[in-house]
Amino acid sequence: QLQASGGGLVQAGASLRVSCAASGRTFSNYVMGWFRQTPGKEREIVAVINWSVTSTYYADSVKGRFTISRDNAKNTVYLQMNSLKPEDTAVYYCAASIRFGATSPNDYNYWGQGTLVTVSS
């Protein structure tokens, strides 16, 4: 089970960190991803981190502003979001996959409930 938290309302240019805590099983051997979704749009990949933290992936829209990290000892994944823009407003979901380099939602086996991030202009 994955539990996302840390969302909220911030102004453009601000920073926010969302977290995803896993329970019920260890996710240290899973690839972890953050996705986001806005009403009427498909869920899109934001960032991915592999199990050994040696490889990350970022969507072009967040590259250089967002950082994904994980603490396997705490079974937690983080998404540090800097220089937030109104277009970053979305529900952010964390997910776990057994597939290395997975960027499609269809490749993810476990999902958190989502946390809402709202960026005002």
Side-chain angles (χ1 to χ4, degrees), residues 25-45:
R25 66 169 62 223
T26 179
F27 285 92
S28 59
N29 294 327
Y30 284 76
V31 170
M32 300 299 295
W34 283 99
F35 291 78
R36 65 187 182 187
Q37 189 171 24
T38 55
K41 293 189 176 182
E42 293 187 353
R43 195 166 295 187
E44 63 174 5
I45 185 69

Side-chain angles (χ1 to χ4, degrees), residues 60 71-72 96:
D60 287 342
D71 185 336
N72 287 334

Side-chain angles (χ1 to χ4, degrees), residues 6-12 14-16 84 86 89-90 115-121:
L9 172 63
V10 297
Q11 290 189 332
S15 297
L16 195 66
L84 281 161
T89 296
T115 185
L116 177 61
V117 173
T118 304
V119 184
S120 63
S121 58

Side-chain angles (χ1 to χ4, degrees), residues 9-121:
L9 172 63
V10 297
Q11 290 189 332
S15 297
L16 195 66
R17 189 179 78 163
V18 292
S19 302
C20 175
S23 61
R25 66 169 62 223
T26 179
F27 285 92
S28 59
N29 294 327
Y30 284 76
V31 170
M32 300 299 295
W34 283 99
F35 291 78
R36 65 187 182 187
Q37 189 171 24
T38 55
K41 293 189 176 182
E42 293 187 353
R43 195 166 295 187
E44 63 174 5
I45 185 69
V46 175
V48 177
I49 188 166
N50 77 349
W51 44 82
S52 63
V53 199
T54 57
S55 176
T56 56
Y57 166 89
Y58 296 95
D60 287 342
S61 58
V62 306
K63 203 172 291 182
R65 300 188 297 122
F66 290 12
T67 302
I68 188 170
S69 62
R70 68 190 298 167
D71 185 336
N72 287 334
K74 295 182 178 180
N75 229 11
T76 302
V77 179
Y78 306 97
L79 184 68
Q80 176 68 43
M81 302 181 289
N82 299 329
S83 302
L84 281 161
K85 305 175 181 180
E87 50 264 43
D88 294 318
T89 296
V91 176
Y92 284 72
Y93 297 90
C94 60
S97 173
I98 59 173
R99 182 172 179 175
F100 181 80
T103 58
S104 168
N106 294 331
D107 292 330
Y108 283 76
N109 311 95
Y110 301 94
W111 290 87
Q113 86 289 0
T115 185
L116 177 61
V117 173
T118 304
V119 184
S120 63
S121 58

